[in-house]
Amino acid sequence: MARNTGSSIGVALVSNVLAHREQFHQSRLVEHVVPSSVQYQDTLQQVTSYFEAAGSSFAQAQQQAIAWIGQQVQMQASFLAYVDAFWVLMLISLAAVPLALALRKVKLGGAAPMSH
């Protein structure tokens, strides 16, 4: 029962960390996606050219390029959220090591304690 409860709490914790950190990273990354910047314009032009070469009209290719840039931002935010979740899991694991070492040893094969 403790294993099931612990794993449920762990899954809920990681899901919560992922959701909040993904939102955080997405908002931080979107701050740098400025349509007036040279890097954004270069990327938009290159990706638009790629979609045009694949057979799309210019207007359609430009919309696909904007959607592609948005997808890339979302993917990077998701990746960074997973990195954060693994950091949280690492810190929890490190905190559990002293706890595990502090547990008392149990003698195997001894008489079971009787209680009322």
Side-chain angles (χ1 to χ4, degrees), residues 2-116:
R3 185 189 66 182
N4 287 341
T5 303
S7 64
S8 296
I9 290 171
V11 167
L13 176 72
V14 171
S15 296
N16 190 17
V17 168
L18 280 174
H20 285 96
R21 296 304 291 177
E22 189 170 348
Q23 289 175 351
F24 168 77
H25 286 299
Q26 186 174 8
S27 67
R28 297 297 304 199
L29 290 172
V30 167
E31 291 173 2
H32 300 287
V33 180
V34 180
S36 61
S37 74
V38 175
Q39 295 87 355
Y40 181 86
Q41 291 298 322
D42 286 344
T43 303
L44 184 63
Q45 180 188 12
Q46 290 173 358
V47 177
T48 301
S49 298
Y50 171 79
F51 284 121
E52 278 184 309
S56 298
S57 67
F58 176 75
Q60 189 179 23
Q62 195 166 33
Q63 289 300 318
Q64 288 173 325
I66 292 169
W68 181 84
I69 291 170
Q71 251 181 347
Q72 294 304 308
V73 168
Q74 182 63 37
M75 283 175 41
Q76 290 298 314
S78 196
F79 171 75
L80 292 170
Y82 273 97
V83 169
D84 292 347
F86 278 108
W87 271 102
V88 168
L89 290 173
M90 181 199 63
L91 293 174
I92 290 171
S93 297
L94 286 176
V97 169
L99 178 65
L101 294 173
L103 294 175
R104 65 183 170 100
K105 293 182 180 180
V106 176
K107 284 187 176 181
L108 297 177
M114 300 298 268
S115 63
H116 292 87

